[in-house]
Amino acid sequence: MPAPMIPYDFERLDADNQVSRANSFFEEMDRRRSVRFFSDAPVPRELVELAIRTASTAPSGAHRQPWRFVLTGDPEVKRQIRVAAEEEERINYEEGRLPLHWREALEPLGTDWRKPFLETVPWVVVMFEERYGMNPDGSKQHNFYVKESAGIAAGIFITALHHMGLATLTHTPSPMAFLTKLLGRPENERPFCMFPIGYPADDCVVPDLRRKTLDEVMVEVGEAPKRRT
Ligand code: IYR
């Protein structure tokens, strides 16, 4: 049955306002960096909850919202996550599980198997994708475009955290399956990515990387729409 249709509460901005908002949002987002050196300064839980609520506004296939944000601020849980993540990463980096081309690609980032930030930060959020839903009668409900939906929600989550003055890292210890058991998640959920959340350390550094220019990421095809005068 179709859902009832309601008027869209849309705020139409005037053109000048649109450009200045677009510019300041771009500048704000262009200052965002992935952080690997965090402070242990506390972060109110309310802020992380707001970031999760914001992420959960993401569009999703058939509006199934196939994501779960598992939050922990518990030192023992964070320690267990760190130990297990470091063990996987030690195999990646030290025992040659990372193929050479991958190791070369990571070189500019200066990463290694050590993940102390998983214990330093006040909060760790592990995002799970919901591979399928569970009906009340126990049968499975198909979810659609799960990776795309979760990816969009993750992007909005990162944006929300940055906008509220917090730092994070899109962290994917590989393989991530250990998180399902460690965090007691059901069979229909699969770890998608992990976000240590906090403030950057006072002496935080980031690699001096450059973002692709508009010309490198945009291609226009055909004629632009006519301007109405
Ligand atoms: N998961 C590893 C390796 C790693 C992979 C990519 I792709 C990165 O952009 C960064 C790191 C790690 O966390 O070190």
Side-chain angles (χ1 to χ4, degrees), residues 1 82 99 104 112 124 158 190 192 210:
M1 211 181 32
R82 175 189 177 175
E104 283 170 359
D112 63 25
V124 173
I158 294 162
R190 183 185 293 150
F192 185 69
R210 138 193 123 75

Side-chain angles (χ1 to χ4, degrees), residues 219-225:
V219 178
E220 182 172 9
V221 176
E223 265 180 51

Side-chain angles (χ1 to χ4, degrees), residues 36 89 93 102 106 109 111-112 115 171-172:
R36 292 186 170 81
E89 295 298 358
Y93 284 91
W102 194 332
L106 292 182
L109 304 182
T111 55
D112 63 25
K115 308 297 172 191
H171 182 41
T172 51

